[in-house]
Amino acid sequence: MPTALTERPAPTAAPRPDTAPRRRTRVFALPEARWAAAATVLFLIALPLQLTGAPAWAWGPLYALAYATGGWEPAWAGLQALKEKTLDVDLLMIVAALGAAAVGQVMDGALLIVIFATSGALEALATARTADSVRGLLDLAPAAATRLLDDGTEENVPTEQLTVGDTILIRPGERIGADGRVLDGASEVDQATITGEPLPVAKEVGDEVFAGTLNGTGALRVKVERDASDSVIARIVAMVEEASETKAPTQLFIEKVEQRYSIGMVVATLAVFAVPLAFGAAFTGSLLRAMTFMIVASPCAVVLATMPPLLSAIANAGRHGVLVKSAVVMERLGQVDAVALDKTGTLTEGAPRVTDTSPLPGSGLTEDELLALAAAAEHPSEHPLARAVVEAARAHGLALAVAEDFHSVPGVGVTATVDGRVVAVGAPERVLNGREGAASVIVAELEERGRTAVLVETDGVPVGVLGIADRLRPDAAATVAALTGLTGRAPVLLTGDNPRAAAAAAAEVGIAEVRAGLLPQGKVAAVREQEADGRRVLVIGDGVNDAPALAAAHTGIAMGRAGSDLALETADAVIVRDELATVPAVVALSRRARGFVVQNLVIASVFISVLVVWDLVGTLPLPLGVLGHEGSTVIVGLNGLRLLRETVWVRARG
């Protein structure tokens, strides 16, 4: 991690945003959304007409159009699945809706169509937005680069035309156009998009740099070592897409049961109709009994046994700042038994803060005076460490003197004249230049604790040392303890940061297993290693470099405020307000919702069993069958809505 504080001069190329330009698929650009909207509008027009007693010719055609616009896509998809010998749930819902219409429940069938069409549209939108973010990631790499020719001239070329062995010039404030190695120059490079490190990294001759990362104040000549298609940023995109495609198709538990149940129900309905008919029963009576059987044995009650608890849990979590993207995700959250955490921006706040102010003996300075002196010298600089020093001084209410003759040297530090004294602030190893003394002892102690040490000199004499670190979130330790209790094992820390800083942060929050210095593919490998041992891994992260691991994990959660677009779209859930303590709470809430699902399945099974036996053994009137069926759905629905209560979340946070 760099320790130099440098000025950013007026750049020849304005710095670009730290995130990729945002690509957003418009909702109504998706055909699924247009059909769902049409079905919803038609339903909302027809419903009040029916309820106010308008003639059937006024609302009947509207319902018919709602059936057609909202149902044709899932019906067609279901028929295609049927060709593959798979009974699609959507097709069964279309059949159930048509069955409801056939027995006079036109409004119920139309409502079912609208619900399923809207669900399909939301799924299509989520898929499109994820694809947008993956494509947008490629925009982090610049479209063009400055290539240096053998005769010393420059030419501006598209980055995809760069080949291995080319030499490119990176000016201050520009994004690096290709993966390569520094041939000449010195600078600091913000490579948070690749490694997640919170501070720019000093780069000198021989150091590796990555496409898409942001150069600081120095100019660099870089030899290209990888083609654009093989750069680290391109491999991140490939890993996200691969993980998303190879991740096992998710189903709600009830959908797995429903496949078999629905096939059995269809066969049983045909038998209830055909067997009595074969023995001479009246056609009308047999058809009525079969229709009643189909209604009371319908999987609708079983489906509703699952959805209300999960949707209520999603709503409750949403009220408390956790966006869970689907019922499948809510169910999967309760299944996790291992957790992997990113450091920068997840366990920590993602911004450097002054943590230690240590005047040297004999300097004659107090802590506030040392901080004010350093902040005055740093005030003209825009380096993240400089901003941290200035912000700390302002937080203490310190007045800053005017700095004159400000100079900055990349990789070394800054110098300025403050109140007639020449003040130098920068990297201890460069400023001290091998000198031993009290300053070197304090520097060693700070670095041992994972801090970035910054030395302050006046007129060539060391007067103090500042310690700077990325501050842990206040609830980090409690969150780690809660996740350990829920999963039975402590989380693992996966970070691109240096081992010393990672170990220090892990020790403070109670994490024993640390894997530091990881590139995105290293994080994915660590997740897959745990999953190979039979673990269901929850990954929590925030950056572009976390996105492949979020996609590869059993479940991924992104931090919302500082999270990159790609991480937010790839993750299954988002912590909107960056309250880390809500992670164990939503896991506990998911497990509670699963318990409610089991309760509802028992209730639905009892109702279905009683009504089916009544219909087969005796004579169950159709209205009474409909009433019993609807009654069971109301009961399981109300039971699931209990998860909306505030006390449920309070208990989950425990």
Side-chain angles (χ1 to χ4, degrees):
M1 188 178 290
T3 53
L5 301 175
T6 61
E7 177 195 20
R8 179 174 298 174
T12 56
R16 302 181 188 182
D18 291 338
T19 57
R22 208 169 161 82
R23 299 171 181 254
R24 300 287 285 181
T25 296
R26 301 177 69 177
V27 175
F28 289 105
L30 300 171
E32 295 90 344
R34 294 196 296 270
W35 289 118
T40 302
V41 170
L42 289 166
F43 176 81
L44 293 176
I45 295 173
L47 181 61
L49 291 175
Q50 182 188 15
L51 295 179
T52 54
W57 59 260
W59 47 263
L62 294 173
Y63 277 137
L65 287 172
Y67 274 75
T69 54
W72 80 267
E73 278 196 322
W76 178 252
L79 291 173
Q80 295 298 108
L82 206 55
K83 289 182 180 179
E84 303 296 327
K85 299 181 180 179
T86 301
L87 189 57
D88 189 87
V89 173
D90 287 356
L91 180 60
L92 288 174
M93 289 301 99
I94 297 299
V95 171
L98 294 175
V103 295
Q105 305 295 322
V106 179
M107 185 269 287
D108 292 345
L111 178 59
L112 193 58
I113 291 287
V114 168
I115 290 172
F116 268 77
T118 303
S119 174
L122 292 174
E123 183 179 350
L125 180 62
T127 302
R129 291 285 169 83
T130 300
D132 290 343
S133 291
V134 172
R135 291 193 301 270
L137 179 58
L138 292 172
D139 293 334
L140 284 172
T146 303
R147 181 162 59 189
L148 300 178
L149 303 180
D150 293 338
D151 59 4
T153 59
E154 302 176 3
E155 66 173 349
N156 198 47
V157 297
T159 51
E160 60 267 20
Q161 292 183 12
L162 294 174
T163 59
V164 175
D166 284 348
T167 300
I168 56 176
L169 174 65
I170 315 297
R171 294 185 172 87
E174 288 185 343
R175 286 197 180 273
I176 295 173
D179 287 5
R181 201 163 295 275
V182 178
L183 294 177
D184 185 41
S187 187
E188 305 87 24
V189 176
D190 180 355
Q191 52 188 39
T193 53
I194 303 297
T195 66
E197 292 176 279
L199 300 174
V201 179
K203 297 293 182 181
E204 298 176 338
V205 175
D207 289 338
E208 186 177 22
V209 293
F210 304 110
T213 54
L214 186 64
N215 187 28
T217 58
L220 299 173
R221 284 198 303 119
V222 173
K223 181 180 180 180
V224 177
E225 292 189 339
R226 296 190 190 95
D227 290 331
S229 60
D230 195 38
S231 67
V232 171
I233 203 78
R235 280 183 282 164
I236 292 176
V237 172
M239 282 188 292
V240 171
E241 292 177 334
E242 179 187 356
S244 298
E245 290 171 2
T246 58
K247 199 171 184 177
T250 57
Q251 280 185 305
L252 288 171
F253 164 75
I254 194 58
E255 289 178 350
K256 299 175 184 177
V257 174
E258 189 182 10
Q259 283 286 324
R260 298 179 179 87
Y261 176 85
S262 299
I263 294 172
M265 187 201 74
V266 171
V267 172
T269 300
L270 294 174
V272 169
F273 171 66
V275 172
L277 197 63
F279 284 93
F283 177 84
T284 302
S286 297
L287 179 60
L288 188 59
R289 183 184 293 271
M291 288 296 297
T292 304
F293 177 86
M294 185 183 75
I295 290 172
V296 299
S298 167
C300 295
V302 181
V303 172
L304 287 173
T306 300
M307 295 307 292
L310 295 176
L311 293 177
S312 296
I314 289 173
N316 200 335
R319 287 205 312 265
H320 295 90
V322 184
L323 172 61
V324 180
K325 294 185 178 180
S326 72
V328 172
V329 174
M330 179 55 75
E331 186 175 64
R332 289 169 67 90
L333 278 167
Q335 299 169 355
V336 299
D337 56 9
V339 179
L341 286 156
D342 173 50
K343 183 181 82 71
T344 305
T346 302
L347 272 183
T348 68
E349 294 176 348
R353 310 280 184 185
V354 175
T355 57
D356 302 85
T357 307
S358 304
L360 295 180
S363 66
L365 298 175
T366 65
E367 291 186 1
D368 281 354
E369 288 171 343
L370 174 64
L371 183 59
L373 192 66
E378 295 288 6
H379 189 265
S381 175
E382 293 184 5
H383 192 283
L385 289 180
R387 289 198 297 268
V389 173
V390 173
E391 287 172 5
R394 287 173 175 165
H396 283 74
L398 303 178
L400 303 184
V402 176
E404 300 174 339
D405 301 325
F406 177 86
H407 296 285
S408 169
V409 180
V412 178
V414 303
T415 59
T417 301
V418 179
D419 291 337
R421 293 178 290 179
V422 177
V423 179
V425 185
E429 62 271 19
R430 303 296 178 84
V431 178
L432 287 173
N433 199 22
R435 290 176 291 169
E436 299 292 333
S440 60
V441 174
I442 295 175
V443 167
E445 290 176 352
L446 289 173
E447 291 182 343
E448 184 65 27
R449 290 161 48 203
R451 306 291 195 257
T452 295
V454 175
L455 183 72
V456 183
E457 281 190 346
T458 58
D459 298 325
V461 178
V463 294
V465 182
L466 304 178
I468 299 177
D470 186 6
R471 190 167 58 190
L472 287 167
R473 295 187 186 277
D475 51 359
T479 298
V480 169
L483 289 171
T484 302
L486 284 169
T487 62
R489 58 179 298 174
V492 178
L493 186 62
L494 306 178
T495 178
D497 210 344
N498 68 76
R500 190 167 53 200
E508 286 192 56
V509 298
I511 294 177
E513 185 176 351
V514 179
R515 301 192 185 187
L518 297 178
L519 289 176
Q521 57 265 37
K523 293 188 177 185
V524 172
V527 170
R528 287 181 173 160
E529 180 183 317
Q530 290 202 56
E531 292 188 334
D533 293 334
R535 298 286 179 182
R536 294 174 174 176
V537 184
L538 168 65
V539 171
I540 309 167
D542 70 303
V544 167
N545 61 312
D546 299 317
L550 290 169
H554 179 268
T555 311
I557 296 180
M559 306 301 288
R561 285 184 177 171
S564 67
D565 284 351
L566 185 63
L568 296 179
E569 298 290 354
T570 303
D572 300 302
V574 177
I575 307 300
V576 178
R577 296 193 288 263
D578 280 5
E579 295 176 11
L580 199 58
T582 57
V583 175
V586 77
V587 172
L589 180 64
S590 170
R591 294 181 178 180
R592 188 163 177 80
R594 191 177 178 88
F596 273 63
V597 169
V598 173
Q599 291 177 20
N600 281 352
L601 286 175
V602 171
I603 295 170
S605 299
V606 169
F607 268 85
I608 289 173
S609 299
V610 170
L611 293 172
V612 165
V613 170
W614 188 351
D615 184 55
L616 295 178
V617 175
T619 301
L620 176 63
L622 180 59
L624 189 57
V626 172
L627 181 62
H629 176 265
E630 296 300 324
S632 66
T633 60
V634 169
I635 291 173
V636 298
L638 292 176
N639 188 46
L641 292 178
R642 291 166 55 203
L643 282 171
L644 288 171
R645 294 180 301 176
E646 182 67 23
T647 54
V648 173
W649 181 260
V650 173
R651 290 173 184 170
R653 290 202 66 157

